Amino acid sequence: MVLQSSNLNRATSPSPVSTASLIFPLASQNFSKTCSALKQFTLSVTNRLSSIHHDSLFVQQVADHYKLPLIANERCGSWYIPPERKAGSAYFKSTDGHQGQWSFSTRRLNLQVLEVVGQHRGCIIVDSTRRGKSMPDALSKTIPIWCAVMNQLLFGEQGQDIRLHTPTTVVAPSEQSQIESRLHGFISDAKVSDAPPNLFQTNKVDIHQRLQIDTSILRQRLSGPLRPFFVTPDHPFPNLPSQAQLPYHPVVCLTSSHRVYGAENSEDNYIQGAGDDSESWSQGLTPALFWRHKNTLMSATNTELPSLIALLVTGEQADVQSQHTAATLITPASSIWIGSNGSIDSDAWDAVVCCSCTDPFTDLQAKNQAMSTERQPKVLHISIPQGKIGSRALRTHLHLLAPFLQPILESNTSEDATKPLKILFTCPTGIDLAIGTALVALCLFFDDDGNRPNSLKRRDENEEVQTDRETPRVRTKIDKLLIRRRLAWITTAKPDARPSRETLQAVNTCLIGR
């Protein structure tokens, strides 16, 4: 009977339905707010900058150990490298190394890395990743794929070690095998798929025939293939023989941050991959600005830091607008230049195509830096903002390029051929919207040798003649291959070019099917 009474009491007593029933409601709310505040403090800008500085010391230690130059894999890598020690930038995307999505990008060939490797017999590429991984996919897979493809293209017939090398602690044998099965396809992407067969050679055509890159020059820079090695703070450095004894060029893939296990606040305010996704936390601060004012920023408190960053960013923007920046000539074309809006501070241009919210010529006149009236350039101002919004808006303005540029190019008569036109394409950064507008011009008005064919007259019977003013009078068929070839010209001449996916989609929409 006692047992029955006990069961009866349990059956009639109310059971808790939520955590709030067990904890006083006010205490529950305070606990949630406390956890949120702790996480916000742990991920504060102060802790991020402190973690970046901590990791940068390790990066410099590795560079001193191997005596190799540092290359930043943008956009994260530059946070960890002092500017005076940075030998260059690379653009290897982690998405090209994601499981099942392995790829070799023909949009980002990163040929500038080969130049650094050739000069120093190797390099160190710096990147990082956020909590949960020991190494970013860009280092563990994208760069090994790139090395394997480049080795095959440059040294495939010399019997050297051109295998795919990945970190065994990160890439499982099954994934390694799957990537290897796709390498042939990646190599074919950099070669002509419809090349005519040859009785004495296999149907393998160098990358210069597809993307028009001179591989003979690249081979001259390198004495052997590329071999990736992998370094993290959690593992000892791999030993390398002296460079004179190496039959390859080491490409050290350096992960700057050590792996954090557990929650963000489990490592005494240390943040793994603190420099990653800087747009979400930097408040406009850039790596260059951080290193220039590192001591001031590191000594500021949490409450002082936002206003200090805002002050530095405002001053930086004013300095950039007032400074002249050099433009880059896109070879083999002799007329196309790309730069930021600061490149307009000169009267050396015959024409300027500017993508910017504000008219830079108005800004120049306001600063009493107007161009000489003797040689005012013809100007096409495309008023669009930066970022994705501007890239999407670009597709509605690209049709203006052909009627603007065609009469300028046609006015350069044969008597003036010894002095090529100088046409400048700009945007605030010089690496996105300006790339898109210049790419359209290169596709529409220049042949595969970088020439303007006979002042835009008919070259052969297979070419189309345009008579309306919204399309050029002469062009060959434009397809994705032609666009990739012209983009390869740009990325080779200007390695920091980073056209967004939206910008390139705008170019494709404008050109393909015309």
Side-chain angles (χ1 to χ4, degrees):
M1 294 298 295
V2 176
L3 181 60
Q4 292 177 356
S5 176
S6 176
N7 290 337
L8 180 61
N9 291 336
R10 281 200 298 267
T12 58
S13 62
S15 59
V17 295
S18 66
T19 305
S21 302
L22 302 176
I23 306 175
F24 292 106
L26 181 61
S28 176
Q29 294 175 15
N30 289 340
F31 179 74
S32 177
K33 290 180 180 179
T34 300
C35 290
S36 177
L38 285 173
K39 182 176 181 179
Q40 185 176 2
F41 173 78
T42 302
L43 298 178
S44 66
V45 178
T46 301
N47 287 343
R48 287 186 181 277
L49 298 182
S50 176
S51 301
I52 287 171
H53 179 254
H54 173 272
D55 292 341
S56 72
L57 298 178
F58 172 70
V59 169
Q60 296 175 70
Q61 179 186 0
V62 174
D64 293 337
H65 176 79
Y66 289 116
K67 297 180 174 56
L68 290 173
L70 294 168
I71 295 178
N73 192 35
E74 304 294 2
R75 293 166 291 185
C76 179
S78 286
W79 287 99
Y80 301 97
I81 305 177
E84 66 274 10
R85 301 201 64 170
K86 181 179 173 183
S89 295
Y91 303 91
F92 295 102
K93 294 179 63 176
S94 283
T95 52
D96 291 335
H98 286 177
Q99 176 77 31
Q101 300 179 19
W102 313 288
S103 178
F104 172 80
S105 175
T106 56
R107 291 195 298 141
R108 295 179 176 87
L109 292 173
N110 288 295
L111 299 181
Q112 72 277 10
V113 175
L114 299 181
E115 184 173 354
V116 176
V117 170
Q119 291 176 354
H120 302 274
R121 297 188 60 82
C123 72
I124 301 172
I125 302 179
V126 180
D127 202 353
S128 188
T129 188
R130 286 176 285 182
R131 182 173 60 93
K133 301 182 69 173
S134 61
M135 191 180 301
D137 288 342
L139 297 186
S140 63
K141 286 171 277 190
T142 304
I143 292 179
I145 290 172
W146 177 81
C147 289
V149 172
M150 285 296 171
N151 287 341
Q152 179 65 43
L153 292 171
L154 300 178
F155 304 101
E157 299 178 358
Q158 298 183 15
Q160 303 192 51
D161 182 7
I162 56 175
R163 294 172 298 169
L164 175 69
H165 296 273
T166 58
T168 56
T169 57
V170 176
V171 181
S174 60
E175 185 175 8
Q176 166 96 4
S177 177
Q178 292 178 68
I179 298 174
E180 288 175 339
S181 68
R182 298 194 184 188
L183 283 180
H184 180 72
F186 300 153
I187 295 168
S188 297
D189 287 343
K191 296 178 179 179
V192 176
S193 58
D194 56 353
N198 188 299
L199 295 177
F200 303 99
Q201 296 179 349
T202 59
N203 190 19
K204 293 183 178 180
V205 184
D206 283 338
I207 189 173
H208 77 275
Q209 288 184 264
R210 183 172 178 86
L211 299 179
Q212 298 183 329
I213 303 299
D214 192 345
T215 54
S216 62
I217 296 178
L218 300 180
R219 290 191 189 96
Q220 294 173 5
R221 295 174 181 170
L222 304 177
S223 59
L226 307 170
R227 170 72 185 276
F229 290 87
F230 308 93
V231 175
T232 72
D234 303 313
H235 297 89
F237 302 162
N239 293 322
L240 299 178
S242 64
Q243 292 188 10
Q245 300 175 351
L246 289 176
Y248 48 76
H249 295 291
V251 177
V252 179
C253 301
L254 171 58
T255 303
S256 59
S257 304
H258 80 82
R259 185 172 185 177
V260 172
Y261 296 90
E264 288 90 349
N265 57 0
S266 61
E267 292 278 340
D268 294 330
N269 300 328
Y270 172 79
I271 302 174
Q272 178 183 350
D276 196 16
D277 193 23
S278 58
E279 294 86 352
S280 65
W281 62 264
S282 65
Q283 302 172 22
L285 190 68
T286 62
L289 204 56
F290 163 69
W291 284 105
R292 195 178 309 140
H293 303 280
K294 176 175 67 70
N295 294 334
T296 303
L297 290 165
M298 298 284 291
S299 60
T301 64
N302 274 331
T303 55
E304 297 171 341
L305 202 55
S307 58
L308 175 59
I309 291 176
L311 182 64
L312 295 175
V313 170
T314 302
E316 178 76 1
Q317 291 174 345
D319 290 342
V320 169
Q321 292 175 0
S322 63
Q323 291 178 357
H324 172 73
T325 55
T328 301
L329 174 63
I330 307 302
T331 56
S334 59
S335 301
I336 303 299
W337 298 70
I338 298 177
S340 66
N341 289 345
S343 305
I344 304 176
D345 190 10
S346 168
D347 59 0
W349 309 109
D350 296 287
V352 176
V353 177
C354 175
C355 296
S356 177
C357 285
T358 59
D359 187 345
F361 291 91
T362 302
D363 296 337
L364 288 174
Q365 293 172 357
K367 292 180 290 186
N368 296 321
Q369 295 178 351
M371 300 179 182
S372 64
T373 56
E374 297 179 359
R375 194 165 183 261
Q376 288 278 0
K378 297 179 176 63
V379 179
L380 174 61
H381 177 221
I382 301 176
S383 182
I384 53 176
Q386 296 187 70
K388 290 185 178 180
I389 296 177
S391 296
R392 290 167 182 164
L394 184 63
R395 68 179 61 195
T396 63
H397 294 81
L398 286 176
H399 70 280
L400 301 173
L401 284 174
F404 171 74
L405 291 175
Q406 184 171 322
I408 296 172
L409 293 169
E410 289 182 334
S411 66
N412 189 228
T413 61
S414 58
E415 291 78 7
D416 302 324
T418 56
K419 188 177 182 181
L421 291 169
K422 296 184 69 175
I423 303 175
L424 176 66
F425 295 82
T426 76
C427 64
T429 61
I431 61 175
D432 184 13
L433 298 175
I435 306 301
T437 52
L439 181 56
V440 170
L442 288 170
C443 292
L444 290 178
F445 295 105
F446 294 85
D447 62 18
D448 290 344
D449 296 320
N451 300 318
R452 304 194 312 276
N454 297 328
S455 297
L456 304 181
K457 294 180 181 178
R458 181 190 298 268
R459 281 177 291 167
D460 57 54
E461 295 179 354
N462 295 325
E463 291 180 333
E464 302 173 7
V465 179
Q466 308 293 332
T467 57
D468 62 298
R469 300 298 293 175
E470 292 191 358
T471 55
R473 289 173 55 195
V474 170
R475 62 172 172 83
T476 56
K477 180 182 178 181
I478 297 178
D479 54 17
K480 288 186 177 180
L481 175 56
L482 178 65
I483 295 173
R484 284 200 298 267
R485 285 176 172 174
R486 300 300 185 265
L487 182 59
W489 291 0
I490 295 175
T491 56
T492 301
K494 188 176 175 60
D496 62 336
R498 287 183 299 177
S500 66
R501 183 179 299 275
E502 289 78 11
T503 297
L504 294 178
Q505 287 175 345
V507 171
N508 288 341
T509 301
C510 170
L511 295 177
I512 295 179
R514 292 180 68 117

